[in-house]
Amino acid sequence: MLKSLIIGCLLQAVIWLVSFFVGDMGLADTLSFYLVGACVLFAGMLSITSLGPDTSIAYFHDQNNARRESKSRFRWTRNLILLALPSLVVYIIMAYV
C-alpha cells in the first residue's frame, strides 16, 4: 500500500521534471490528468470484475481460490487508486489555482 503511494509520488516527480525541462508547466497538468484517468479506468475495470466471483472457477475448484482472486483484485484496485492520488492532488491544484 505504501509502495503504491511512493511510486505515485515518484511518477509525479518525473512528470514535473519532464515538464520543467520542456518548459511547459501545463504539460504537468495534462500528464497528471492522463495518469489519473488511466489508473481510475483500470481500477474501475478491476473492481467491476471483482464484484461477482467467477462461477466456473468456483464450480470446478474450491471457493477459497475464487475468494483469493477476488481479494487480489480489490488489492490491485486499492493500489491503483493510491498510485493516482498524488497526480490527482497535483491536477486539482494546477487546474483550480
Side-chain angles (χ1 to χ4, degrees):
M1 195 162 104
L2 185 60
K3 285 184 200 178
S4 298
L5 195 58
I6 290 171
I7 291 171
C9 290
L10 289 175
L11 281 173
Q12 191 57 45
V14 168
I15 289 172
W16 275 91
L17 285 173
V18 167
S19 62
F20 178 73
F21 285 122
V22 170
D24 183 17
M25 293 309 284
L27 185 65
D29 182 36
T30 304
L31 291 177
S32 296
F33 176 73
Y34 288 148
L35 182 63
V36 169
C39 287
V40 168
L41 178 71
F42 289 137
M45 289 179 359
L46 281 172
S47 66
I48 287 173
T49 60
S50 64
L51 289 177
D54 190 3
T55 55
S56 63
I57 291 176
Y59 180 72
F60 289 113
H61 300 292
D62 59 349
Q63 290 193 354
N64 290 333
N65 190 18
R67 189 174 297 125
R68 197 172 322 122
E69 287 181 12
S70 180
K71 285 183 182 179
S72 174
R73 290 178 190 155
F74 277 123
R75 189 175 66 241
W76 273 99
T77 301
R78 180 195 66 207
N79 288 340
L80 282 169
I81 295 297
L82 286 174
L83 182 80
L85 190 63
S87 296
L88 179 65
V89 169
V90 167
Y91 174 71
I92 290 172
I93 289 172
M94 290 190 71
Y96 297 109
V97 173

